[in-house]
Amino acid sequence: SRGATVAALLRALVAGCSVAIGNPNLSVEVHALCAALTAAGCQLSVETHRMLLKPTRVRSGARWRVPGDKIEAGVLVCAIAATGGHGRVGGVAFADLAPLADALVPLGFTVIPDGDTGVLVAGPKGRTGSGVLALASLAPGGLDADWEPGLMAVALGRPGAHRFADAINPARHGNLIGQLRRLGAVVTETSTTEAHLTGPQSLTGATVRATDIRTGSALLIAALTAAGTTGLTGLSQLRRGYADLPAKMRALGADIDVPEPA
């Protein structure tokens, strides 16, 4: 868990005690925190299966650049891809999005770097694409599980037989697939963590619910391609996980009307 690894490091730092973390999460976000702690003078060793932080006095004046939110950037990339458009997503390093970019290639899309903190997304432009195999992984360089729902929404509109697996979050498919079916999607669950679908499929607007953060963003992506009007409830999930995601999608041309929170 990203959150558990980060919390353990910071709690130990504040308490001034050593901590050894077994099976640490080694995602981009955790490595960025480790870089910040090291820059501040902490004694930190990072290995594949173990992370060790020793108590130390943190020096002042250290400088560190907060990395862009790769999950939010990935959602915006998927939104552009789902509609067959093209655009630029800034504020994130391409290396952090590389696994998602690789997953979009079989679907006929291109994601390339644009400077140090941006990526360019290009639609299929006649490329037929093929089936995608999206396997959520905790391994460094693997496909982040939080991108998998958005990829499923993209794959619904692309030709081929597509397979998805997320053994990290066993309940997520159950939350998402039932809501996608309300839009007319045909998705077969082969287990609680695996599913497959064949595209392209045509979706129709309906009322759906964001039961969790990633389900909400995936439904927003799917709604962009659904004929008619889609109503999305459970906006509190999106609001707690994204910095005004609907507004950023409007900047990309989406027609979204969001009521003010009560």
Short mmCIF file of all heavy atoms in Angstrom, two decimals, residues 30-90:
data_model
loop_
_atom_site.label_atom_id
_atom_site.label_comp_id
_atom_site.label_asym_id
_atom_site.label_seq_id
_atom_site.Cartn_x
_atom_site.Cartn_y
_atom_site.Cartn_z
N VAL A 30 6.11 6.86 -3.59
CA VAL A 30 6.94 6.49 -2.44
C VAL A 30 8.40 6.86 -2.70
O VAL A 30 9.10 7.39 -1.82
CB VAL A 30 6.81 4.99 -2.12
CG1 VAL A 30 7.78 4.58 -1.03
CG2 VAL A 30 5.37 4.68 -1.69
N HIS A 31 8.88 6.61 -3.91
CA HIS A 31 10.26 6.98 -4.25
C HIS A 31 10.44 8.50 -4.15
O HIS A 31 11.51 8.98 -3.74
CB HIS A 31 10.61 6.50 -5.65
CG HIS A 31 11.07 5.07 -5.70
ND1 HIS A 31 12.23 4.66 -5.08
CD2 HIS A 31 10.54 3.97 -6.28
CE1 HIS A 31 12.41 3.36 -5.28
NE2 HIS A 31 11.38 2.92 -6.00
N ALA A 32 9.41 9.25 -4.52
CA ALA A 32 9.50 10.71 -4.43
C ALA A 32 9.62 11.14 -2.97
O ALA A 32 10.40 12.05 -2.64
CB ALA A 32 8.28 11.35 -5.08
N LEU A 33 8.86 10.50 -2.08
CA LEU A 33 8.98 10.82 -0.66
C LEU A 33 10.36 10.45 -0.14
O LEU A 33 10.97 11.21 0.63
CB LEU A 33 7.90 10.08 0.14
CG LEU A 33 8.01 10.21 1.66
CD1 LEU A 33 7.88 11.67 2.10
CD2 LEU A 33 6.96 9.35 2.35
N CYS A 34 10.87 9.30 -0.55
CA CYS A 34 12.21 8.88 -0.11
C CYS A 34 13.25 9.91 -0.55
O CYS A 34 14.19 10.21 0.20
CB CYS A 34 12.53 7.50 -0.68
SG CYS A 34 11.56 6.16 0.05
N ALA A 35 13.09 10.43 -1.76
CA ALA A 35 14.03 11.44 -2.24
C ALA A 35 13.96 12.69 -1.38
O ALA A 35 14.99 13.31 -1.06
CB ALA A 35 13.72 11.79 -3.70
N ALA A 36 12.74 13.06 -0.96
CA ALA A 36 12.57 14.24 -0.11
C ALA A 36 13.21 14.03 1.26
O ALA A 36 13.89 14.91 1.79
CB ALA A 36 11.08 14.56 0.04
N LEU A 37 13.00 12.84 1.83
CA LEU A 37 13.58 12.56 3.15
C LEU A 37 15.09 12.52 3.09
O LEU A 37 15.79 13.00 4.00
CB LEU A 37 13.03 11.23 3.66
CG LEU A 37 11.52 11.19 3.96
CD1 LEU A 37 11.10 9.79 4.41
CD2 LEU A 37 11.15 12.23 5.00
N THR A 38 15.62 11.96 2.02
CA THR A 38 17.07 11.91 1.85
C THR A 38 17.65 13.32 1.70
O THR A 38 18.69 13.66 2.27
CB THR A 38 17.44 11.06 0.63
OG1 THR A 38 16.94 9.73 0.81
CG2 THR A 38 18.95 10.99 0.44
N ALA A 39 16.94 14.16 0.92
CA ALA A 39 17.39 15.54 0.74
C ALA A 39 17.38 16.31 2.05
O ALA A 39 18.17 17.24 2.25
CB ALA A 39 16.49 16.24 -0.28
N ALA A 40 16.50 15.89 2.96
CA ALA A 40 16.42 16.56 4.26
C ALA A 40 17.40 15.98 5.27
O ALA A 40 17.42 16.40 6.43
CB ALA A 40 15.00 16.45 4.81
N GLY A 41 18.21 15.01 4.84
CA GLY A 41 19.25 14.47 5.70
C GLY A 41 18.92 13.17 6.41
O GLY A 41 19.68 12.72 7.26
N CYS A 42 17.80 12.55 6.07
CA CYS A 42 17.43 11.28 6.71
C CYS A 42 18.31 10.14 6.21
O CYS A 42 18.77 10.15 5.06
CB CYS A 42 15.97 10.95 6.42
SG CYS A 42 14.80 12.10 7.15
N GLN A 43 18.54 9.16 7.09
CA GLN A 43 19.27 7.95 6.70
C GLN A 43 18.23 6.91 6.27
O GLN A 43 17.47 6.40 7.09
CB GLN A 43 20.09 7.43 7.86
CG GLN A 43 21.15 8.41 8.35
CD GLN A 43 21.94 7.85 9.51
OE1 GLN A 43 22.35 6.69 9.50
NE2 GLN A 43 22.15 8.66 10.54
N LEU A 44 18.23 6.61 4.99
CA LEU A 44 17.18 5.76 4.43
C LEU A 44 17.79 4.79 3.44
O LEU A 44 18.55 5.18 2.56
CB LEU A 44 16.13 6.63 3.74
CG LEU A 44 14.90 5.96 3.16
CD1 LEU A 44 14.03 5.37 4.27
CD2 LEU A 44 14.07 6.96 2.36
N SER A 45 17.47 3.52 3.61
CA SER A 45 17.90 2.52 2.62
C SER A 45 16.66 1.86 2.05
O SER A 45 15.71 1.55 2.78
CB SER A 45 18.82 1.47 3.26
OG SER A 45 18.13 0.72 4.24
N VAL A 46 16.67 1.66 0.75
CA VAL A 46 15.50 1.11 0.05
C VAL A 46 15.94 -0.10 -0.75
O VAL A 46 16.82 -0.01 -1.62
CB VAL A 46 14.87 2.16 -0.88
CG1 VAL A 46 13.66 1.57 -1.60
CG2 VAL A 46 14.47 3.40 -0.10
N GLU A 47 15.33 -1.23 -0.46
CA GLU A 47 15.56 -2.45 -1.22
C GLU A 47 14.21 -2.98 -1.68
O GLU A 47 13.15 -2.48 -1.27
CB GLU A 47 16.28 -3.48 -0.35
CG GLU A 47 17.64 -3.01 0.15
CD GLU A 47 18.27 -3.99 1.12
OE1 GLU A 47 17.64 -5.04 1.38
OE2 GLU A 47 19.38 -3.71 1.61
N THR A 48 14.24 -4.00 -2.51
CA THR A 48 13.00 -4.51 -3.09
C THR A 48 12.01 -4.97 -2.03
O THR A 48 10.82 -4.71 -2.12
CB THR A 48 13.31 -5.68 -4.05
OG1 THR A 48 14.22 -5.23 -5.05
CG2 THR A 48 12.03 -6.18 -4.71
N HIS A 49 12.52 -5.68 -1.00
CA HIS A 49 11.62 -6.26 -0.01
C HIS A 49 11.75 -5.62 1.38
O HIS A 49 11.13 -6.08 2.32
CB HIS A 49 11.87 -7.77 0.11
CG HIS A 49 11.66 -8.49 -1.18
ND1 HIS A 49 10.43 -8.60 -1.77
CD2 HIS A 49 12.55 -9.12 -2.01
CE1 HIS A 49 10.55 -9.28 -2.90
NE2 HIS A 49 11.82 -9.60 -3.07
N ARG A 50 12.55 -4.54 1.48
CA ARG A 50 12.76 -3.95 2.80
C ARG A 50 13.17 -2.49 2.68
O ARG A 50 13.94 -2.11 1.79
CB ARG A 50 13.84 -4.73 3.56
CG ARG A 50 14.02 -4.33 5.02
CD ARG A 50 14.98 -5.32 5.68
NE ARG A 50 15.17 -5.07 7.10
CZ ARG A 50 16.14 -4.33 7.60
NH1 ARG A 50 17.03 -3.78 6.80
NH2 ARG A 50 16.24 -4.16 8.92
N MET A 51 12.63 -1.70 3.57
CA MET A 51 12.97 -0.28 3.63
C MET A 51 13.30 0.05 5.08
O MET A 51 12.58 -0.36 6.00
CB MET A 51 11.77 0.54 3.15
CG MET A 51 12.02 2.02 2.98
SD MET A 51 10.55 2.87 2.33
CE MET A 51 10.52 2.25 0.65
N LEU A 52 14.40 0.77 5.29
CA LEU A 52 14.85 1.07 6.65
C LEU A 52 15.08 2.57 6.79
O LEU A 52 15.83 3.16 6.03
CB LEU A 52 16.14 0.32 6.97
CG LEU A 52 16.77 0.60 8.35
CD1 LEU A 52 15.82 0.17 9.47
CD2 LEU A 52 18.11 -0.12 8.48
N LEU A 53 14.43 3.16 7.80
CA LEU A 53 14.62 4.57 8.13
C LEU A 53 15.17 4.66 9.54
O LEU A 53 14.59 4.10 10.47
CB LEU A 53 13.29 5.33 8.04
CG LEU A 53 13.32 6.80 8.47
CD1 LEU A 53 14.12 7.63 7.47
CD2 LEU A 53 11.91 7.34 8.61
N LYS A 54 16.31 5.36 9.69
CA LYS A 54 16.91 5.54 11.01
C LYS A 54 16.64 6.96 11.50
O LYS A 54 16.59 7.91 10.70
CB LYS A 54 18.42 5.29 10.94
CG LYS A 54 18.78 3.85 10.60
CD LYS A 54 20.29 3.65 10.61
CE LYS A 54 20.64 2.20 10.30
NZ LYS A 54 22.11 1.97 10.31
N PRO A 55 16.46 7.12 12.83
CA PRO A 55 16.16 8.46 13.36
C PRO A 55 17.30 9.41 13.08
O PRO A 55 18.49 9.06 13.17
CB PRO A 55 15.98 8.20 14.86
CG PRO A 55 16.74 6.94 15.13
CD PRO A 55 16.59 6.11 13.90
N THR A 56 16.94 10.62 12.76
CA THR A 56 17.94 11.63 12.45
C THR A 56 17.30 13.00 12.60
O THR A 56 16.08 13.13 12.59
CB THR A 56 18.48 11.46 11.01
OG1 THR A 56 19.51 12.41 10.77
CG2 THR A 56 17.37 11.68 10.00
N ARG A 57 18.13 13.99 12.76
CA ARG A 57 17.62 15.36 12.84
C ARG A 57 17.46 15.89 11.42
O ARG A 57 18.42 15.96 10.65
CB ARG A 57 18.57 16.26 13.62
CG ARG A 57 18.11 17.73 13.69
CD ARG A 57 19.10 18.56 14.45
NE ARG A 57 19.16 18.19 15.85
CZ ARG A 57 18.31 18.65 16.77
NH1 ARG A 57 17.35 19.49 16.42
NH2 ARG A 57 18.43 18.27 18.03
N VAL A 58 16.25 16.24 11.07
CA VAL A 58 15.99 16.75 9.72
C VAL A 58 16.53 18.16 9.61
O VAL A 58 16.21 19.03 10.43
CB VAL A 58 14.47 16.73 9.42
CG1 VAL A 58 14.21 17.33 8.04
CG2 VAL A 58 13.94 15.30 9.50
N ARG A 59 17.35 18.40 8.62
CA ARG A 59 17.92 19.73 8.45
C ARG A 59 16.94 20.63 7.68
O ARG A 59 16.14 20.18 6.86
CB ARG A 59 19.25 19.65 7.70
CG ARG A 59 19.18 19.10 6.28
CD ARG A 59 20.51 19.29 5.55
NE ARG A 59 20.48 18.72 4.23
CZ ARG A 59 21.01 17.56 3.90
NH1 ARG A 59 21.60 16.82 4.83
NH2 ARG A 59 20.96 17.11 2.66
N SER A 60 17.01 21.89 7.99
CA SER A 60 16.14 22.86 7.31
C SER A 60 16.79 23.30 6.01
O SER A 60 17.98 23.13 5.79
CB SER A 60 15.88 24.06 8.22
OG SER A 60 17.12 24.70 8.51
N GLY A 61 15.99 23.88 5.15
CA GLY A 61 16.51 24.43 3.91
C GLY A 61 16.58 23.45 2.75
O GLY A 61 17.04 23.81 1.67
N ALA A 62 16.14 22.21 2.97
CA ALA A 62 16.15 21.25 1.87
C ALA A 62 15.10 21.63 0.84
O ALA A 62 14.02 22.11 1.19
CB ALA A 62 15.89 19.84 2.40
N ARG A 63 15.40 21.42 -0.41
CA ARG A 63 14.47 21.74 -1.49
C ARG A 63 14.04 20.45 -2.18
O ARG A 63 14.86 19.56 -2.42
CB ARG A 63 15.11 22.69 -2.50
CG ARG A 63 15.52 24.03 -1.90
CD ARG A 63 16.17 24.94 -2.94
NE ARG A 63 15.24 25.31 -3.99
CZ ARG A 63 14.41 26.36 -3.91
NH1 ARG A 63 14.39 27.11 -2.81
NH2 ARG A 63 13.61 26.65 -4.90
N TRP A 64 12.77 20.37 -2.51
CA TRP A 64 12.21 19.16 -3.12
C TRP A 64 11.02 19.55 -3.97
O TRP A 64 10.21 20.39 -3.59
CB TRP A 64 11.79 18.19 -2.01
CG TRP A 64 11.05 16.97 -2.48
CD1 TRP A 64 11.53 15.99 -3.29
CD2 TRP A 64 9.71 16.60 -2.16
NE1 TRP A 64 10.58 15.02 -3.50
CE2 TRP A 64 9.44 15.37 -2.80
CE3 TRP A 64 8.71 17.18 -1.38
CZ2 TRP A 64 8.22 14.72 -2.69
CZ3 TRP A 64 7.50 16.53 -1.26
CH2 TRP A 64 7.26 15.31 -1.92
N ARG A 65 10.91 18.92 -5.11
CA ARG A 65 9.80 19.22 -6.02
C ARG A 65 8.74 18.13 -5.89
O ARG A 65 9.02 16.95 -6.09
CB ARG A 65 10.31 19.27 -7.46
CG ARG A 65 9.22 19.59 -8.48
CD ARG A 65 9.83 19.71 -9.86
NE ARG A 65 8.83 20.07 -10.85
CZ ARG A 65 9.10 20.30 -12.13
NH1 ARG A 65 10.35 20.22 -12.56
NH2 ARG A 65 8.14 20.61 -12.97
N VAL A 66 7.54 18.53 -5.55
CA VAL A 66 6.44 17.58 -5.41
C VAL A 66 6.09 17.04 -6.80
O VAL A 66 5.86 17.83 -7.73
CB VAL A 66 5.21 18.26 -4.78
CG1 VAL A 66 4.05 17.27 -4.69
CG2 VAL A 66 5.55 18.81 -3.41
N PRO A 67 6.04 15.73 -6.97
CA PRO A 67 5.72 15.18 -8.30
C PRO A 67 4.25 15.40 -8.64
O PRO A 67 3.39 15.52 -7.76
CB PRO A 67 6.04 13.68 -8.15
CG PRO A 67 5.85 13.42 -6.68
CD PRO A 67 6.30 14.67 -5.98
N GLY A 68 3.96 15.45 -9.94
CA GLY A 68 2.58 15.58 -10.38
C GLY A 68 1.78 14.33 -10.05
O GLY A 68 2.34 13.24 -9.85
N ASP A 69 0.47 14.47 -9.96
CA ASP A 69 -0.41 13.35 -9.65
C ASP A 69 -0.58 12.47 -10.88
O ASP A 69 -1.34 12.79 -11.79
CB ASP A 69 -1.77 13.89 -9.19
CG ASP A 69 -2.69 12.79 -8.69
OD1 ASP A 69 -2.49 11.62 -9.06
OD2 ASP A 69 -3.64 13.10 -7.94
N LYS A 70 0.14 11.36 -10.92
CA LYS A 70 0.11 10.51 -12.11
C LYS A 70 -1.26 9.86 -12.31
O LYS A 70 -1.64 9.57 -13.45
CB LYS A 70 1.20 9.43 -12.02
CG LYS A 70 0.90 8.34 -11.01
CD LYS A 70 1.89 7.20 -11.08
CE LYS A 70 1.43 6.03 -10.21
NZ LYS A 70 2.37 4.93 -10.18
N ILE A 71 -2.01 9.61 -11.23
CA ILE A 71 -3.32 8.98 -11.37
C ILE A 71 -4.30 9.93 -12.04
O ILE A 71 -5.00 9.58 -12.98
CB ILE A 71 -3.86 8.53 -10.00
CG1 ILE A 71 -2.86 7.59 -9.32
CG2 ILE A 71 -5.21 7.83 -10.17
CD1 ILE A 71 -2.50 6.37 -10.12
N GLU A 72 -4.32 11.18 -11.58
CA GLU A 72 -5.20 12.17 -12.20
C GLU A 72 -4.79 12.41 -13.65
O GLU A 72 -5.65 12.49 -14.55
CB GLU A 72 -5.16 13.48 -11.43
CG GLU A 72 -6.09 14.53 -12.00
CD GLU A 72 -6.05 15.83 -11.21
OE1 GLU A 72 -4.95 16.25 -10.82
OE2 GLU A 72 -7.12 16.40 -10.98
N ALA A 73 -3.49 12.51 -13.90
CA ALA A 73 -3.02 12.69 -15.27
C ALA A 73 -3.44 11.52 -16.15
O ALA A 73 -3.86 11.70 -17.30
CB ALA A 73 -1.50 12.85 -15.29
N GLY A 74 -3.37 10.30 -15.60
CA GLY A 74 -3.78 9.12 -16.36
C GLY A 74 -5.25 9.14 -16.70
O GLY A 74 -5.66 8.70 -17.80
N VAL A 75 -6.09 9.63 -15.78
CA VAL A 75 -7.52 9.74 -16.05
C VAL A 75 -7.76 10.70 -17.21
O VAL A 75 -8.57 10.43 -18.11
CB VAL A 75 -8.27 10.21 -14.79
CG1 VAL A 75 -9.71 10.59 -15.12
CG2 VAL A 75 -8.25 9.12 -13.74
N LEU A 76 -7.06 11.82 -17.22
CA LEU A 76 -7.22 12.79 -18.31
C LEU A 76 -6.73 12.21 -19.64
O LEU A 76 -7.34 12.44 -20.69
CB LEU A 76 -6.48 14.08 -17.97
CG LEU A 76 -7.03 14.85 -16.77
CD1 LEU A 76 -6.10 15.99 -16.40
CD2 LEU A 76 -8.42 15.37 -17.05
N VAL A 77 -5.64 11.46 -19.60
CA VAL A 77 -5.15 10.79 -20.81
C VAL A 77 -6.20 9.83 -21.34
O VAL A 77 -6.48 9.79 -22.54
CB VAL A 77 -3.82 10.05 -20.52
CG1 VAL A 77 -3.47 9.10 -21.67
CG2 VAL A 77 -2.69 11.05 -20.32
N CYS A 78 -6.81 9.04 -20.45
CA CYS A 78 -7.84 8.09 -20.87
C CYS A 78 -9.07 8.81 -21.42
O CYS A 78 -9.72 8.32 -22.35
CB CYS A 78 -8.23 7.19 -19.70
SG CYS A 78 -6.99 5.93 -19.30
N ALA A 79 -9.41 9.96 -20.85
CA ALA A 79 -10.55 10.72 -21.35
C ALA A 79 -10.32 11.19 -22.77
O ALA A 79 -11.21 11.13 -23.63
CB ALA A 79 -10.83 11.91 -20.43
N ILE A 80 -9.10 11.67 -23.04
CA ILE A 80 -8.76 12.09 -24.40
C ILE A 80 -8.81 10.90 -25.35
O ILE A 80 -9.36 10.97 -26.45
CB ILE A 80 -7.37 12.74 -24.43
CG1 ILE A 80 -7.35 14.02 -23.59
CG2 ILE A 80 -6.94 13.05 -25.87
CD1 ILE A 80 -5.97 14.60 -23.37
N ALA A 81 -8.24 9.77 -24.90
CA ALA A 81 -8.20 8.58 -25.74
C ALA A 81 -9.60 8.04 -26.03
O ALA A 81 -9.92 7.66 -27.16
CB ALA A 81 -7.35 7.50 -25.08
N ALA A 82 -10.47 8.01 -25.02
CA ALA A 82 -11.80 7.42 -25.18
C ALA A 82 -12.60 8.14 -26.25
O ALA A 82 -13.40 7.52 -26.96
CB ALA A 82 -12.55 7.45 -23.85
N THR A 83 -12.39 9.45 -26.38
CA THR A 83 -13.14 10.22 -27.36
C THR A 83 -12.43 10.33 -28.70
O THR A 83 -12.92 10.98 -29.62
CB THR A 83 -13.41 11.64 -26.82
OG1 THR A 83 -12.15 12.26 -26.49
CG2 THR A 83 -14.26 11.58 -25.56
N GLY A 84 -11.26 9.67 -28.81
CA GLY A 84 -10.53 9.69 -30.07
C GLY A 84 -9.91 11.04 -30.39
O GLY A 84 -9.59 11.33 -31.53
N GLY A 85 -9.73 11.85 -29.36
CA GLY A 85 -9.19 13.18 -29.59
C GLY A 85 -7.69 13.24 -29.44
O GLY A 85 -6.99 12.22 -29.49
N HIS A 86 -7.18 14.44 -29.30
CA HIS A 86 -5.76 14.62 -29.04
C HIS A 86 -5.62 15.82 -28.11
O HIS A 86 -6.45 16.72 -28.09
CB HIS A 86 -4.97 14.85 -30.34
CG HIS A 86 -5.37 16.10 -31.07
ND1 HIS A 86 -6.45 16.12 -31.94
CD2 HIS A 86 -4.87 17.36 -31.05
CE1 HIS A 86 -6.58 17.34 -32.44
NE2 HIS A 86 -5.65 18.12 -31.92
N GLY A 87 -4.58 15.82 -27.30
CA GLY A 87 -4.39 16.91 -26.36
C GLY A 87 -3.11 16.75 -25.58
O GLY A 87 -2.34 15.80 -25.78
N ARG A 88 -2.90 17.69 -24.67
CA ARG A 88 -1.71 17.69 -23.84
C ARG A 88 -2.12 17.69 -22.37
O ARG A 88 -3.03 18.43 -21.98
CB ARG A 88 -0.83 18.92 -24.10
CG ARG A 88 0.45 18.94 -23.28
CD ARG A 88 1.25 20.23 -23.52
NE ARG A 88 2.57 20.16 -22.90
CZ ARG A 88 2.83 20.44 -21.62
NH1 ARG A 88 1.85 20.83 -20.82
NH2 ARG A 88 4.06 20.34 -21.16
N VAL A 89 -1.46 16.86 -21.60
CA VAL A 89 -1.65 16.84 -20.15
C VAL A 89 -0.34 17.26 -19.52
O VAL A 89 0.69 16.59 -19.72
CB VAL A 89 -2.08 15.44 -19.65
CG1 VAL A 89 -2.23 15.45 -18.13
CG2 VAL A 89 -3.38 15.01 -20.30
N GLY A 90 -0.36 18.33 -18.77
CA GLY A 90 0.87 18.85 -18.18
C GLY A 90 0.96 18.53 -16.70
O GLY A 90 0.02 18.02 -16.08
#
